[in-house]
Amino acid sequence: MRHRTSDLDRIVVVGGGRAAVAAVEELERLGFTGAVTVLAGEPHSPYHRPACSKGLLTGQRHGDVRLSTAAPARWLTGRVAAELDARRQIVYAQTGEMYEYDALVVATGASPVVPDGWPAGEPGLHFLHGIDDALGLAADLRRARRVAVVGAGLTGCEAAHVVRSMARECVMIDSNAQVMTRAVGSVTGGLIADTMRHEGVRMRLGRRVGHLSRSRRGWRLDLDDGSHVDADVVIATLGERPDTGWFTARHADTGDGLLCDESLRVQGVDRVVAAGAVARWPNAWYADQPGRVDQWIAAMEQGQAAARTLLSGSRAAPAAAVLPRYWSDLFGLRIQVIGRLDQAEEVAVSELRPGRRDIARGGVLAAHRRGGVTTGVVAVNAPRQFTTLARAMREAGAAARPVVSLPAVVPNQRRLSLVG
């Protein structure tokens, strides 16, 4: 089926990440034969962003993590969107160029959070987000002796794993009492923190950085308890904010991303869809308030869904139901997550090999539940059990999420914790 009409000949995609690439690929798969122009803000061709806290820190080059852009489109790198004229359907770039469109895909992603007063750009201070950040950090790590990681989320923990694999001292600072709180929940995050301590990561959890300054030896981080940490290199992974500053459409809601309907149409603006970390929409898997999903796989699925919605024109389009799922390997732990973990009323955690001192390495499963329904599952060193539970959740579908029974996949399991 061919999808070129007199009023949909030019599609502009703003952004050059996973969601943008997926949208372009889906447009081609669906037979769109009009002109597709991609405005990619970074000067690089698209790449696997998760590699920024993994392989790129240990010697991989850009070519090793490049995303394919084989689908026919005009890729323009180094074009940062500066302003939108939604009435005339024009995107203005920071270069002064203007790009007219019949339909627009917004996939600008998010930018790293930089605390007020932190001297971004100073040598030895890295806000780990994109490929340039990763390559600059990799060079500094070769010369560093002690590294401070501020922010114990998924990216921060992956960076700490790389630092320790290079036999560098590593101090991790986070305001939470455990690591990876948002990514795996507080209970599992506490078990992972125990493993990281065993691997030599110094933990300053429950602490905030009150002041950051240069010193003779590198950097001094003053903490809120009056203590301080000295480091040669500081890695900051303090979260992200959706990149919407350029989206100047009068009637759009840009609070915490672009507000979209269930099919990713941006509300208040005609012929515009959003995908990836910049999109806030009522995900059918959550069935409550609109929210964002910023994982890598989700960005791909949203890009595909946004393309399908564009080509549906004014007709009804399928809802974009995205079930979050992601994974990581660090400190001998295979961590796998599916579904939603926040707002859980209870977390049932089961230990696969009771009696082991390192509980996480021995295998852990955590089912996050709300209203008697399992909304998410976390597995650590339990790939077979995770596959079974994840399949059950996906087969049930967004309309009827299952209550996952741990005993069905964990024979002789011992209940480690039940948190209300």
Side-chain angles (χ1 to χ4, degrees), residues 92-379:
Y92 293 92
Q94 97 288 2
T95 58
E97 298 164 298
M98 53 183 284
Y99 300 91
E100 296 179 297
Y101 65 85
D102 300 316
L104 177 67
V105 180
V106 180
T108 44
S111 301
V113 171
V114 179
D116 292 340
W118 284 37
E122 286 288 320
L125 174 59
H126 300 270
F127 292 89
L128 187 53
H129 180 73
I131 192 169
D132 288 332
D133 306 318
L135 295 176
L137 174 57
D140 276 0
L141 287 178
R142 289 194 289 269
R143 298 184 295 269
R145 180 181 62 85
R146 171 181 275 194
V147 179
V149 180
V150 185
L154 179 60
T155 300
C157 289
E158 289 179 339
H161 172 65
V162 171
V163 170
R164 289 300 298 146
S165 73
M166 299 175 71
R168 307 305 193 253
E169 293 182 42
C170 183
V171 182
M172 175 157 277
I173 305 165
D174 194 276
S175 59
N176 291 300
Q178 61 283 315
V179 303
M180 298 174 62
T181 306
R182 179 170 173 260
V184 302
S186 59
V187 178
T188 309
L191 298 175
I192 293 172
D194 289 341
T195 297
M196 293 176 67
R197 288 188 185 95
H198 296 157
E199 294 296 324
V201 179
R202 281 186 52 206
M203 293 292 186
R204 299 303 306 274
L205 300 178
R207 300 270 66 91
R208 296 179 184 273
V209 177
H211 184 66
L212 175 70
S213 59
R214 294 296 299 269
S215 70
R216 288 185 305 169
R217 298 182 178 179
W219 291 93
R220 176 184 169 113
L221 298 88
D222 294 302
L223 306 187
D224 56 2
D225 63 351
S227 65
H228 74 275
V229 172
D230 293 315
D232 306 313
V233 171
V234 177
I235 304 172
T237 58
L238 297 167
E240 301 174 332
R241 292 193 181 99
D243 186 1
T244 59
W246 65 278
F247 199 90
T248 49
R250 181 178 177 184
H251 299 292
D253 181 345
T254 59
D256 190 30
L258 294 176
L259 179 62
C260 304
D261 68 8
E262 64 277 4
S263 302
L264 297 175
R265 291 187 175 98
V266 177
Q267 297 291 275
V269 190
D270 292 332
R271 299 193 176 198
V272 181
V273 295
V278 75
R280 175 167 53 98
W281 91 111
N283 186 355
W285 270 97
Y286 293 174
D288 53 13
Q289 296 300 312
R292 298 189 301 111
V293 180
D294 55 5
Q295 290 90 26
W296 184 251
I297 298 174
M300 178 185 69
E301 294 178 345
Q302 285 177 271
Q304 294 167 343
R308 292 193 292 268
T309 295
L310 270 192
L311 295 189
S312 70
S314 60
R315 303 187 305 274
V322 175
L323 178 61
R325 52 201 186 277
Y326 46 95
W327 60 271
S328 184
D329 287 306
L330 50 87
F331 296 107
L333 304 177
R334 172 73 170 183
I335 301 166
Q336 297 169 282
V337 182
I338 187 169
R340 187 180 193 182
L341 308 183
D342 63 325
Q343 298 185 2
E345 294 170 346
E346 66 173 12
V347 183
V349 184
S350 295
E351 182 181 357
L352 270 64
R353 297 175 180 84
R356 287 193 55 152
R357 181 179 178 183
D358 189 332
I359 295 172
R361 193 159 285 166
V364 168
L365 278 171
H368 290 240
R369 295 172 180 158
R370 181 176 177 85
V373 173
T374 299
T375 61
V377 172
V378 182

Side-chain angles (χ1 to χ4, degrees), residues 63-92:
D64 300 327
V65 298
R66 185 177 293 132
L67 285 173
S68 171
T69 55
R74 184 167 63 133
W75 287 85
L76 302 176
T77 59
R79 291 338 192 263
V80 177
E83 186 178 354
L84 172 69
D85 186 334
R87 183 181 63 82
R88 297 172 60 200
Q89 297 184 177
I90 299 173
V91 175
Y92 293 92

